[in-house]
Amino acid sequence: MAQILDGLALSKQIKSEIKEEVEKILARKRRAPHLVAILVGNNGASKAYVNSKVKDCEEVGFTSSLIKFPNTVSEAELLEKIDELNKSKAVDGFIVQLPLPEQIDQEKIINAIDPRKDVDGFHPENFGKMALEMDTFLPATPFGILTLLERYNIDTKGKHCVIIGRSRIVGKPMSILMGRKDFPGNSTVTLVHSYTQNIEEYTKHADIVITALGTPDFLKGNMIKDGAIIIDVGITRVDDSSLPKGYRLAGDVDFESCKDKASWITPVPGGVGPMTRAMLMKNTILAYKTSVYND
């Protein structure tokens, strides 16, 4: 029976550590770190995620601001707001919640964010620094996975790590980070995706499987080897009329068939998700500490 990599418990611990740091900052009569979120439109999942980030800020003692735009906002208006936040001495970090409506060029928006305030870690400058193993903001989900592996002292050196999915938010950065010269890291990494033939031929030989597909219950117990470490990034709403909400949250991993073969496994919910949110707080306090405006 696999041991649980409990992201919910660990995220609470990390937020408690951040709260202690903020209390020390405030005791020195300095302002609290300030995180701003920009939300465009009425996407339900985006609204819920942004609201949870605001709640996290309250928990750790940050100042938080939520800026809302209608779905019809122009690219120019959004860029104007980003420019304002870039220049603001009162803002340490900000995020633009994705996805954005079709009239807006997502790349242009990401590139417009000052890399020093890019607490999502999506700006090409920060991505490049990450790839070169320089100090920078790591994307929150990969940062959360690394922290889970580190805090649970999971040995990654020389292990074969298979990553399913090649998105810029999880798959690509995760493949770079697991191969870096550090702990966690020093793994031999295989990146598989929708065009990979016979994915199970890779996962069956993997010591660590990190899946970020968004396909419910994709990874079955017969696709992994005994003792594998399973990290499930996927989270999808699956209709289920037997439940009061009318749906359940499913990961990419078929938990029931994998839990008896794996040595460690993340649950969904309560695994990677809470760690992603905690790492956004971590990046914000890092931005605060390196800011020239926080005196």
Side-chain angles (χ1 to χ4, degrees), residues 122-283:
F122 294 161
H123 192 283
E125 183 177 314
N126 289 328
F127 199 99
K129 283 182 173 178
M130 175 197 68
L132 294 168
E133 301 188 25
M134 296 164 70
D135 284 342
T136 191
F137 299 119
L138 300 181
T141 299
F143 194 6
I145 294 167
L146 288 183
T147 305
L148 262 179
L149 294 170
E150 181 187 2
R151 296 284 186 110
Y152 276 91
N153 205 26
I154 304 291
D155 185 19
T156 59
K157 186 170 63 180
K159 304 296 183 185
H160 181 204
C161 177
V162 170
I163 294 162
I164 308 174
R166 54 181 170 181
S167 76
R168 67 189 292 170
I169 295 171
V170 183
K172 277 182 187 164
M174 210 65 240
S175 68
I176 292 165
L177 292 165
M178 289 304 288
R180 67 183 182 158
K181 287 183 182 176
D182 204 345
F183 170 70
N186 285 312
S187 298
T188 300
V189 179
T190 302
L191 181 67
V192 299
H193 46 76
S194 55
Y195 286 92
T196 304
Q197 304 291 312
N198 304 317
I199 283 176
E200 65 274 11
E201 293 306 314
Y202 298 92
T203 57
K204 278 178 183 172
H205 299 103
D207 302 303
I208 303 165
V209 179
I210 301 169
T211 173
L213 269 181
T215 304
D217 305 326
F218 172 82
L219 190 75
K220 309 288 186 189
N222 63 2
M223 294 170 70
I224 64 169
K225 73 175 187 180
D226 287 333
I229 293 146
I230 308 297
I231 309 284
D232 189 353
V233 182
I235 187 158
T236 309
R237 284 190 182 193
V238 177
D239 292 337
D240 189 336
S241 56
S242 69
L243 297 172
K245 286 183 177 177
Y247 67 87
R248 67 183 174 90
L249 293 175
D252 288 352
V253 175
D254 180 14
F255 190 87
E256 289 306 308
S257 69
C258 288
K259 67 179 183 185
D260 293 326
K261 282 185 85 174
S263 58
W264 291 91
I265 193 168
T266 58
V268 172
V272 174
M275 291 300 295
T276 297
R277 286 167 47 191
M279 292 305 108
L280 185 67
M281 301 298 108
K282 191 93 172 165
N283 275 345

